[in-house]
Amino acid sequence: DAIWDWDLVSNSFFRGGSFEKIFGHKVNSASLSIDSWSVYLHPEDADRVLNGMHAAIESDTIKWKDEYRYLKADGKYAYVMDKGFILRDNHGKAIRMVGAMQDITERNEREQQLKLFESVVINANDAILITEPEPFDEPGPKIMYANKAFTKMTGYEVEEIIGKTPRILQGPKSDFKELARLSQALRKWESCEVSTINYKKNGEEFWVNFTVTPVANEKGWFTHWIAIERDITEKVNYERDLIEANNKVIT
C-alpha cells in the first residue's frame, strides 16, 4: 500500500516510499500540500473524491473510503482503493488524516471481464448449461446453471432444472450411440460435440447439437462442465426434405 499522512492543521502532506514504487511519482522528502496528491486524480473523479473527503473531515466520522482513478508516471490511470482514518482533537475537530492507497487495477479489470462474460452468457441465443463434474454414471452430474435461451428451447424454467441432470431431456428417440460416445469423452475429461433428439418439457421432440467442455481451476482440477446447445430441428428437417426431393427426381 502507498501510505500517506495529511496534517490538516498545517496542510502538510507526506507520502511513503511505496508511493513511488506503485505509481512512479518521485517522493519528495520535504512536506508538500494536499495538491501534490490531488493533482493526479482523474478529472472525472476529482470533485467527487475531494468533496467526499472534505465531507468526512467536517463530519464526526473517523473513517473515509473511496475508489477512483489515479494517474501514474507512465501516463496510465490506475484504479485505486483509498482508505483514510481521521484523528480528532478533544473538541472533535479533525487535525490529521492517515491513509493507504491500494492499486486495484487488476481486480477491477477482472470484475469488468466477468461482468462482460456474464452478460454474454445470459443473453446468448444458444442455450448454456453448467453442471457439476461428476458422477458419470446414473443419475449424472447435476445442473448448476441454465440461461434464458435454455428455458426458451426446452420449456423448463431455471428453478425446475437446477439440481436435475441433462439426462431428463433424453427419450426414446435419442441417439444413444452418440450419447455413449459422449460418455466416453467425459470420462477422459475431453470436449465432445453431439447431435441427437431431445425432448422438451411438454414432450415435444427437437434436434439439438451441443458441445460439452470441461473447466479446470488454477490447480488443474476439473470443476465443471459447460454445454453450449443449439436447436437444429429446422436444419435437420430441411436436409431431410432436400434428400427426399432429390430421391424423387432420381426415381
Side-chain angles (χ1 to χ4, degrees), residues 85-121:
F85 297 88
I86 303 171
L87 304 179
R88 300 181 180 277
D89 62 18
N90 294 333
H91 302 288
K93 181 179 179 180
I95 57 174
R96 187 177 176 187
M97 196 169 180
V98 180
M101 299 168 64
Q102 185 179 30
D103 186 343
I104 59 169
T105 304
E106 288 188 11
R107 188 194 77 180
N108 187 77
E109 290 176 348
R110 285 198 301 270
E111 289 177 351
Q112 293 301 319
Q113 190 177 47
L114 286 173
K115 289 179 181 179
L116 175 61
F117 289 160
E118 182 181 17
S119 177
V120 170
V121 169

Side-chain angles (χ1 to χ4, degrees), residues 23-85:
F23 301 108
H25 300 295
K26 296 293 183 180
V27 176
N28 193 327
S29 58
S31 62
L32 303 169
S33 72
I34 187 66
D35 295 337
S36 65
W37 164 79
S38 63
V39 68
Y40 299 117
L41 292 171
H42 192 286
E44 295 178 1
D45 299 337
D47 287 344
R48 172 181 58 80
V49 173
L50 293 172
N51 289 338
M53 180 178 280
H54 284 291
I57 291 171
E58 296 301 322
S59 70
D60 58 359
T61 186
I62 60 171
K63 294 182 180 180
W64 167 83
K65 177 182 176 182
D66 207 341
E67 293 185 15
Y68 53 85
R69 289 163 289 180
Y70 200 73
L71 184 65
K72 299 193 296 183
D74 62 4
K76 298 178 180 179
Y77 279 96
Y79 284 89
V80 170
M81 177 183 289
D82 202 347
K83 297 179 181 179
F85 297 88

Side-chain angles (χ1 to χ4, degrees), residues 132 139-145 158-165:
E132 296 176 344
K142 294 180 180 179
I143 296 171
M144 302 174 64
Y145 173 84
V158 173
E159 57 270 19
E160 294 179 295
I161 204 73
I162 298 299
K164 305 290 178 60
T165 80

Side-chain angles (χ1 to χ4, degrees), residues 8 49 52 61 191 204 230 243 247 250:
L8 296 171
V49 173
T61 186
S191 296
E204 180 184 347
R230 178 172 295 179
I243 292 173
N247 290 337
I250 294 173

Side-chain angles (χ1 to χ4, degrees), residues 125-151:
N125 291 324
D126 291 339
I128 297 177
L129 282 181
I130 300 177
T131 74
E132 296 176 344
E134 296 180 277
F136 298 123
D137 297 321
E138 293 291 346
K142 294 180 180 179
I143 296 171
M144 302 174 64
Y145 173 84
N147 67 349
K148 296 177 182 177
F150 179 84
T151 294

